[in-house]
Amino acid sequence: MELYHNQVTRAQGSFSLRMFHRSWGIMMIQENISAPCTVLDFPMRDDFARELKTQKYDVVGISAIIVNIGKVREMCRMIRELSPTSTIIIGGHVAAIPRVEKMIDADHIVKGEGISWMRRYLGEDENTPIRHPSIVSGMRTRIMGVRLPERKGATAATIIPSVGCPMGCNFCTTSAFFGGKGKFVNFFETGDELFDVMNRMEKELKVESFFVMDENFLLHRDRAMRLLDRMKEAHKSWSMSVFASANAIRKYTMQELVELGVSWLWMGLESPRAGYSKLQGSDTRQLTRELREHGIRVQGSTIIGLEHHTPDNIVAEIEHAVSHDTDFHQFMLYTPVPGTPLYQQMAEEGRLLRDVDYADVHGQFKFNFKHAAISREDSKRFLDWAFWRDFELNGPSLYRISRTLMAGWKRYKDWPDTRVRERFASEMGRLNGIYSSALWAMERQFRKVDAGVSQQIRALREEFRHESGLVSRMMPAVLGPVLLWTTRREERRLARGKTYEPPTILERTNWVEA
Ligand code: B12
Ligand code: SF4
């Protein structure tokens, strides 16, 4: 249930950003039906059994992705045993598995968008405008051995404007699941609708930052620019984390992105030789550098094991990826996943490996197909090495995001648009003492990994010192050693095999106790 630690900062030890995310698909469905409904997120087996035994459910819906098929099978079995009159409905990406209906005992298996399906099933009007639930984007954040306090407004709100992506890259399951190339489902069509949702979230959750869960937010320029107009009119200095492809980013000037509040950007780099249309004509290294110079944190994403990769060229491709020096970098194995054009092609070519458990088909372990030049075992070695190399050469992501913040602050602290100025000032004001202290500890801890990076961390710490007020300047002397101690304690815990789990969450709507 973690994003960063599973697939982004997994080699960064105690510097890895740990954070859990709720299951947004079922939260969206719950918010948009009028039937009494319970969402049980991250249940342990006992929680699930208790709920089935103590309440009487007409319908039990399960949301899952492909890796979780085994859990879905067991949950269906439990429902039949403990609540035999319930109708079982399965939704989410797990529905894309070929012949899934033969693997689990369910009554309905729903492919694609679920809100309209559920409304239809319940006899409700499927065209009622979508109401967005209040979603805090992450919880139980932990880094350098410290769990951050959970204060209202401290964590961004998640906004989900759409599902699917019209670009239709051959491996992409999100695109395929919601219709494939040229198709997607928009929940909020216009910048005005989006503004209203964000405005409501700002009030309800006391947030000024938003995680925009749209596969290619910047692709829809008219919507984004209308949102910007409304933000300017209402003097909102909101910040936004978005996903966007290089070709979509290029539709904007840096100034437009900064004014729009884009502060974190997830961009697919894939591979310079992959030929995806979203990368056409883009020098991604130059683009990444430019974005960071404007205070925009970049999360790059690179695929390991594309068709043209060989043991001879893959190291150079990984070095190229790492040379982007992004703030975060995700590496994923090229993976044919059921439902995608790539899966279809691999199946036709007879290249899918039999006997690979679906629980292992997620791009962070080993190939599930026969690659022309790289073995299944080596796929894991190259993947692990990519994460390690990025960490070794570029240092902890926490250092990198501090560096990008500093670059943005220096460039925009005296900017004429007060919204922009306020955004950087507020982030700097909130964080500079904390970042300086973390840099103090990182500099020491990283000496044994790479002395050069440790030196760079030191130089950045000096910059923070220079830009800080008195209190923030004093903080590292006190907080730095504490963080160094917690970091080392965390390293020992992780070495002993410590893992973290999300809490079970139960939420009822339209509920009247019997
Ligand atoms: C947020 C997210 C996460 C969060 C998950 C938080 C959580 N608690 O589940 C984090 C970051 C932790 C995560 C982790 C992983 N994820 Co993820 N994740 C996403 C992401 C970016 C958004 C999902 C989302 O909320 N979308 C918005 C909601 C509204 O859409 P939705 O969930 O699809 O729900 C809609 C329908 O599917 C349907 N629906 C869903 N549930 C149900 C239930 C019923 C009953 C019905 C009727 C309908 C229905 O209705 C909803 C509204 O239309 C997607 C990519 C994407 N853009 O969708 C990948 C994605 C779902 N993740 C994926 C993968 C592979 C993983 C990991 C395995 C990665 C890894 N190697 O570590 C892990 C596994 C986690 C786990 N144990 O299950 C893949 C799934 C591939 C597949 N075909 O199964 C996706 C599609 C990304 C991709 N393109 O490869 N992920
Ligand atoms: S641009 Fe990204 S989200 Fe869209 S189809 Fe390609 S990989 Fe999927």
Side-chain angles (χ1 to χ4, degrees):
M1 292 304 116
E2 296 185 60
L3 164 64
Y4 291 100
H5 191 66
N6 274 4
Q7 59 204 70
V8 183
T9 53
R10 53 174 250 195
Q12 300 193 10
S14 55
F15 298 116
S16 179
L17 178 56
R18 314 292 307 253
M19 190 191 277
F20 298 111
H21 306 278
R22 294 286 308 276
S23 304
W24 301 327
I26 43 174
M27 291 174 82
M28 289 288 285
I29 294 175
Q30 181 182 39
E31 186 76 13
N32 285 285
I33 56 174
S34 54
C37 177
T38 301
V39 158
L40 189 58
D41 220 350
F42 316 125
M44 303 296 277
R45 175 191 285 271
D46 289 351
D47 301 319
F48 186 53
R50 192 178 323 112
E51 190 60 23
L52 290 174
K53 283 192 273 190
T54 53
Q55 306 292 341
K56 191 169 162 17
Y57 286 102
D58 297 320
V59 175
V60 180
I62 302 177
S63 171
I65 62 174
I66 287 173
V67 289
N68 294 319
I69 179 73
K71 290 183 188 173
V72 174
R73 186 188 300 121
E74 173 59 7
M75 289 171 87
C76 289
R77 194 199 60 73
M78 287 172 72
I79 299 166
R80 294 294 189 223
E81 183 188 317
L82 302 173
S83 181
T85 56
S86 300
T87 299
I88 304 179
I89 304 179
I90 309 297
H93 288 268
V94 74
I97 296 179
R99 293 176 300 286
V100 65
E101 62 289 350
K102 302 267 185 291
M103 299 175 183
I104 53 177
D105 180 9
D107 300 299
H108 301 278
I109 291 169
V110 180
K111 291 198 168 92
E113 209 283 296
I115 300 173
S116 54
W117 191 95
M118 198 54 99
R119 281 174 164 176
R120 273 197 308 278
Y121 178 77
L122 295 170
E124 300 183 6
D125 179 3
E126 63 174 294
N127 298 316
T128 310
I130 299 288
R131 189 182 147 81
H132 202 293
S134 302
I135 306 177
V136 177
S137 67
M139 58 182 168
R140 303 223 171 164
T141 307
R142 187 178 184 88
I143 193 159
M144 296 173 81
V146 178
R147 185 167 145 197
L148 306 188
E150 252 149 51
R151 216 171 16 85
K152 198 163 187 179
T155 310
T158 296
I159 303 286
I160 308 173
S162 74
V163 285
C165 173
M167 297 301 287
C169 301
N170 68 339
F171 60 85
C172 181
T173 107
T174 329
S175 179
F177 195 63
F178 296 99
K181 207 174 177 69
K183 306 239 173 60
F184 64 104
V185 182
N186 241 348
F187 294 137
F188 305 101
E189 300 272 349
T190 64
D192 290 301
E193 285 174 277
L194 219 46
F195 178 84
D196 292 343
V197 172
M198 291 166 80
N199 213 11
R200 186 161 62 80
M201 290 305 122
E202 181 186 34
K203 289 198 184 74
E204 284 178 17
L205 297 172
K206 306 271 171 280
V207 291
E208 284 192 282
S209 61
F210 299 89
F211 176 76
V212 185
M213 185 49 257
D214 183 312
E215 285 292 12
N216 210 334
F217 177 71
L218 295 177
L219 201 57
H220 314 287
R221 188 180 152 90
D222 290 347
R223 182 176 70 181
M225 294 314 282
R226 178 64 193 151
L227 175 63
L228 175 57
D229 288 344
R230 294 291 305 273
M231 283 168 64
K232 280 183 176 167
E233 272 165 35
H235 195 84
K236 299 288 184 194
S237 49
W238 290 337
S239 68
M240 260 182 268
S241 303
V242 304
F243 295 72
S245 52
N247 65 340
I249 299 167
R250 278 289 174 221
K251 292 179 175 186
Y252 301 78
T253 62
M254 286 297 146
Q255 203 175 318
E256 282 170 340
L257 293 176
V258 170
E259 288 187 346
L260 197 54
V262 174
S263 61
W264 182 94
L265 215 155
W266 181 318
M267 171 173 46
L269 305 172
E270 325 304 13
S271 151
R273 288 170 53 192
Y276 291 112
S277 59
K278 63 181 172 179
L279 296 172
Q280 226 89 114
S282 298
D283 176 346
T284 49
R285 269 198 297 199
Q286 152 76 15
L287 180 58
T288 307
R289 195 175 323 114
E290 217 180 314
L291 288 163
R292 284 192 8 242
E293 283 166 6
H294 287 263
I296 300 175
R297 281 153 273 177
V298 180
Q299 171 152 332
S301 178
T302 292
I303 304 177
I304 306 289
L306 285 161
E307 298 283 13
H308 70 272
H309 285 157
T310 66
D312 290 336
N313 68 22
I314 188 136
V315 169
E317 289 241 349
I318 292 171
E319 292 287 9
H320 173 81
V322 166
S323 74
H324 283 76
D325 196 5
T326 50
D327 298 270
F328 294 96
H329 210 129
Q330 167 185 263
F331 296 92
M332 268 281 171
L333 290 178
Y334 195 50
T335 306
V337 177
T340 59
L342 179 65
Y343 185 85
Q344 183 66 25
Q345 178 205 328
M346 293 278 180
E348 281 162 17
E349 293 170 3
R351 291 168 64 196
L352 293 173
L353 296 178
R354 288 162 191 220
D355 305 328
V356 175
D357 192 325
Y358 278 122
D360 290 332
V361 180
H362 50 66
Q364 289 297 326
F365 183 48
K366 295 176 183 175
F367 280 154
N368 65 332
F369 71 104
K370 194 166 166 17
H371 189 278
I374 296 173
S375 70
R376 181 163 147 81
E377 293 310 314
D378 279 347
S379 68
K380 176 168 170 23
R381 282 193 203 106
F382 288 126
L383 179 71
D384 292 349
W385 187 75
F387 279 109
W388 169 246
R389 183 70 181 141
D390 182 55
F391 182 48
E392 181 193 46
L393 208 70
N394 298 322
S397 287
L398 187 58
Y399 152 62
R400 302 185 229 171
I401 57 176
S402 323
R403 187 184 52 186
T404 304
L405 172 64
M406 177 56 74
W409 158 255
K410 281 181 160 171
R411 189 178 276 250
Y412 289 105
K413 65 181 175 182
D414 299 318
W415 200 250
D417 182 342
T418 45
R419 288 182 323 110
V420 172
R421 222 165 51 222
E422 279 167 16
R423 177 161 68 83
F424 281 99
S426 116
E427 214 170 335
M428 192 68 175
R430 250 184 321 122
L431 294 174
N432 70 3
I434 310 282
Y435 278 169
S436 315
S437 310
L439 290 168
W440 187 96
M442 263 184 264
E443 179 193 327
R444 277 155 188 80
Q445 184 70 356
F446 217 72
R447 276 181 196 149
K448 58 184 182 211
V449 182
D450 189 309
V453 175
S454 178
Q455 280 299 321
Q456 289 168 27
I457 296 174
R458 185 190 182 84
L460 180 64
R461 190 162 64 77
E462 288 303 321
E463 278 190 66
F464 267 96
R465 233 178 81 79
H466 186 72
E467 297 287 332
S468 298
L470 188 64
V471 177
S472 298
R473 213 172 287 172
M474 306 292 284
M475 245 160 112
V478 184
L479 197 55
V482 177
L483 285 176
L484 185 61
W485 181 79
T486 56
T487 299
R488 290 179 174 161
R489 184 188 56 178
E490 187 76 353
E491 289 289 350
R492 289 193 296 275
R493 279 184 180 159
L494 295 173
R496 285 199 300 270
K498 170 86 186 151
T499 56
Y500 295 99
E501 297 285 339
T504 299
I505 294 167
L506 184 146
E507 281 165 345
R508 304 196 198 277
T509 44
N510 309 319
W511 199 262
V512 183
E513 287 296 340

